[in-house]
Amino acid sequence: MTRAVRIHRTGGPDVLTIETVDAGRPGAGEVLIRQTAVGLNFIDTYQRSGLYPLSLPATLGMEAAGVVEALGPGVTDPGIGDRVAYPMTAGAYASERVMPADRLVRIPDGVSDETAAAMMLKGMTVEYLLMRTFPVQEGQTILFHAAAGGVGLIACQWARALGAQVIGTVSTSEKAALASDHGCHHPIVTSNEDIVERVMDITGGKGVPVVYDSIGRDTFDASLKVLAPRGTLVSFGQSSGPVESFNPARLAAGGSLYYTRPGLAHYIASREELDLSAQRLFSMVDSGKVRIEVNQTYPLDDVERAHRDLEGRRTTGSTVLLP
């Protein structure tokens, strides 16, 4: 039996319940993992609220780290006792779970379980955004919203390592300092600075070739306005709510702009892509160019408080739940 966080209806953090369920035994191609750390991500709140529909009842969570406890038929890798982690596999809020073996990656020596749980989804998101959705080139100036968040702090460091000038939006002066410490050259405090004015001032009126936007509704207009001609708006989240329908003619009027709404699952769909993304992420961390900040940990029993803090923007960097 395992303890898991489940929802039977969608809504606020109060719908989260701790239950004892049967973890099951691994079948062909599967392993049983004893989970030691679980990552908390905004996608979890989207699923809990019903913004991203799930079949109910459901166990939340999309990434975790742990130790392999049992193997199903045909599994030779990973082995029992191996430390492993995974992103983008629903059902992570649990002390034990059965997983497909081919969706796991080994955790390198020197990387803790908490760090691995905090870095897989967020770090692989940064990898595909900066390396594949819109490949950032040395000398470019980019805008990354929510620069002090878990994805943002990784992205600022990674983009700087690629030779880009990084503009980042944050909500407070304290978060501006944090973003600066992680590679953001020009933090914009949105509570007292205008995004469009500041970006145009920084770029000499040229705008930026790309905006990475996980905020959604509240930043959509500003994101379009700061793009240079033929620039790309990469909308990969909606923490403020979904972007409302818009006339595509706005893209033409703004300078033949591009708009894309990517998701990590489509960038790690094959085993080869999963390995590529993980290798790039671990390499950046091992080199010291990217450091992973686990700034909050909560016992699994405090998952409701963790969700409230995340949605209330009271967290920075990455957050981990401890089963």
Side-chain angles (χ1 to χ4, degrees), residues 170-257:
V170 295
S171 58
T172 67
S173 57
E174 291 79 13
K175 289 185 177 183
L178 182 64
S180 293
D181 186 51
H182 288 76
C184 180
H185 299 87
H186 305 283
I188 298 173
V189 181
T190 57
S191 57
N192 56 37
E193 295 181 283
D194 183 85
I195 295 173
V196 177
E197 288 182 4
R198 285 284 290 120
V199 171
M200 290 305 182
D201 179 60
I202 293 166
T203 62
K206 296 178 180 179
V208 293
V210 63
V211 176
Y212 297 99
D213 191 341
S214 63
I215 297 178
R217 182 176 56 208
D218 290 354
T219 49
F220 176 72
D221 285 336
S223 293
L224 283 183
K225 290 176 181 177
V226 301
L227 283 171
R230 294 192 294 178
T232 300
L233 172 50
V234 181
S235 175
F236 68 100
Q238 46 200 36
S239 62
S240 68
V243 173
E244 296 179 358
S245 298
F246 69 97
N247 187 339
R250 290 187 62 182
L251 303 177
S256 296
L257 305 177

Side-chain angles (χ1 to χ4, degrees), residues 97-117:
R97 72 172 302 189
V98 170
M99 279 283 300
D102 66 358
R103 301 315 292 168
L104 299 169
V105 297
R106 292 176 184 270
I107 302 173
D109 294 340
V111 175
S112 71
D113 289 6
E114 288 186 18
T115 299

Side-chain angles (χ1 to χ4, degrees), residues 87-166:
M88 291 304 292
T89 305
Y93 285 11
S95 55
E96 289 186 333
R97 72 172 302 189
V98 170
M99 279 283 300
D102 66 358
R103 301 315 292 168
L104 299 169
V105 297
R106 292 176 184 270
I107 302 173
D109 294 340
V111 175
S112 71
D113 289 6
E114 288 186 18
T115 299
M119 73 190 287
M120 299 302 294
L121 192 152
K122 299 176 185 68
M124 288 184 173
T125 294
V126 172
E127 184 277 324
Y128 88 76
L129 290 174
L130 300 186
M131 304 297 290
R132 291 187 279 163
T133 301
F134 182 96
V136 172
Q137 304 298 313
E138 183 176 1
Q140 289 180 323
T141 299
I142 70 170
L143 173 60
F144 207 101
H145 287 297
V151 173
L153 292 182
I154 297 172
C156 287
Q157 298 173 80
W158 200 315
R160 186 167 188 145
L162 293 173
Q165 287 284 315
V166 183

Side-chain angles (χ1 to χ4, degrees), residues 26-41:
E30 297 179 330
V31 300
L32 175 69
I33 303 174
R34 174 176 53 83
Q35 302 201 135
T36 54
V38 177
L40 177 68
N41 296 281

